[in-house]
Amino acid sequence: MTGTDRRVRLAGAGRVLVPAGFAVIVLGLWQLYTAVTGVREIVLPSPLETARALTRHFGVLMPAAGTTACEVLLGLLAATLVGIALALAIRSSTLVERAVYPWLVVSQTVPIPAIAPIVVIWTGFDLRPKVIVIALVCFFPIVVNTVDGLRAADPELMAMLRSLGASRWQRLRFARLPAALPSLFSGLKLAATFSVLGAVFAEWVGSSGGLGYLILQYNNQSDTASMFAAIVLLAAMGIALFALVSLGERLTVPWAYHRAPSGN
């Protein structure tokens, strides 16, 4: 094994071991605090109490997690399709950009919890309002990052393509889209984390299933440990989505991870 390979492996291990070690320290301090202070479980359950609640309600929590995951995936997919299409429309016309872009910013000033009940009234209590609310939460970072990426196309490459008589579609395919992919994936990673939050909002407003719905039920029962167990599953879902998008980024735009060798 060469020195370079060894450094790469050590760097990869460090990216896993450092956050894992930090998590162990936080959990240990959390467990120690609950043991030393004697804080009641209803106020702050310990990690062990949360793990027991997760095991005790596993048969209820996992189907609810499946429901929430389905909502999240559909909402994120809808946000991705709409966001990319809107970004392409904005970059295709200065008039469209001037007309639409400011309203994208304005749309983010309206709290999603205030919109969610209206969406439920308009669409009912089925899957549709959850997908719509999640898409509303997710689409803005996708649109903004994709627009910025499309703007980042190499001017010299664009000029060369024009001189060769390339059509607008060819310039988009060979210059703008490759330049936009790293920014698109940055937006997708943000959207992946926001999507779980959007699902909880949607389930709080009107739902009979999902982890957000269970959190409300456990809150009514003052079962804080079970609430924490549901939150742990939501956090795991967000981490898994982020990791999945990151893997897609590595496979699709590997050049974004190339780093110039350091030196004096």
Side-chain angles (χ1 to χ4, degrees), residues 3-264:
T4 301
D5 292 337
R6 188 177 296 109
R7 285 194 297 271
V8 170
R9 289 195 176 186
L10 288 175
R15 283 194 292 268
V16 175
L17 294 177
V18 171
F22 179 73
V24 170
I25 293 173
V26 171
L27 291 173
L29 292 174
W30 179 5
Q31 183 70 38
L32 180 64
Y33 174 81
T34 57
V36 171
T37 62
V39 61
R40 292 185 303 161
E41 180 181 336
I42 193 175
V43 176
L44 179 64
S46 69
L48 288 178
E49 290 165 343
T50 301
R52 293 191 192 103
L54 180 58
T55 302
R56 186 169 61 251
H57 298 298
F58 189 81
V60 176
L61 288 168
M62 292 311 295
T67 298
T68 301
C70 180
E71 297 166 356
V72 166
L73 291 174
L74 289 175
L76 188 57
L77 176 61
T80 302
L81 295 177
V82 173
I84 293 175
L86 191 56
L88 291 174
I90 288 173
R91 286 304 300 147
S92 67
S93 169
T94 303
L95 179 61
V96 173
E97 180 174 4
R98 290 176 179 174
V100 174
Y101 202 88
W103 289 106
L104 290 177
V105 178
V106 171
S107 71
Q108 298 308 294
T109 65
V110 181
I112 293 298
I115 296 177
I118 300 174
V119 175
V120 171
I121 292 173
W122 287 347
T123 59
F125 288 85
D126 55 11
L127 184 62
R128 289 175 297 171
K130 286 82 169 177
V131 174
I132 293 172
V133 170
I134 293 168
L136 288 174
V137 171
C138 295
F139 90 101
F140 183 75
I142 295 175
V143 174
V144 171
N145 280 275
T146 304
V147 168
D148 290 343
L150 291 171
R151 288 171 175 162
D154 187 350
E156 294 184 1
L157 177 58
M158 293 292 293
M160 183 188 71
L161 290 172
R162 288 193 184 93
S163 68
L164 294 174
S167 65
R168 176 177 290 188
W169 161 247
Q170 289 172 324
R171 295 197 300 270
L172 176 66
R173 177 184 175 186
F174 294 113
R176 293 196 184 279
L177 284 181
L181 282 176
S183 297
L184 169 60
F185 276 103
S186 295
L188 285 173
K189 285 188 282 189
L190 288 173
T193 57
F194 293 161
S195 62
V196 177
L197 180 63
V200 172
F201 283 151
E203 290 172 352
W204 280 355
V205 172
S207 179
S208 58
L211 291 173
Y213 171 78
L214 283 185
I215 288 174
L216 288 181
Q217 299 304 306
Y218 291 140
N219 180 61
N220 293 334
Q221 300 166 15
S222 299
D223 189 351
T224 311
S226 297
M227 291 175 60
F228 271 62
I231 292 170
V232 167
L233 290 179
L234 287 169
M237 191 180 303
I239 293 170
L241 281 172
F242 187 92
L244 186 62
V245 174
S246 297
L247 176 61
E249 181 180 22
R250 285 182 178 272
L251 295 175
T252 306
V253 286
W255 64 84
Y257 288 88
H258 291 170
R259 295 291 182 269
S262 58
N264 294 326

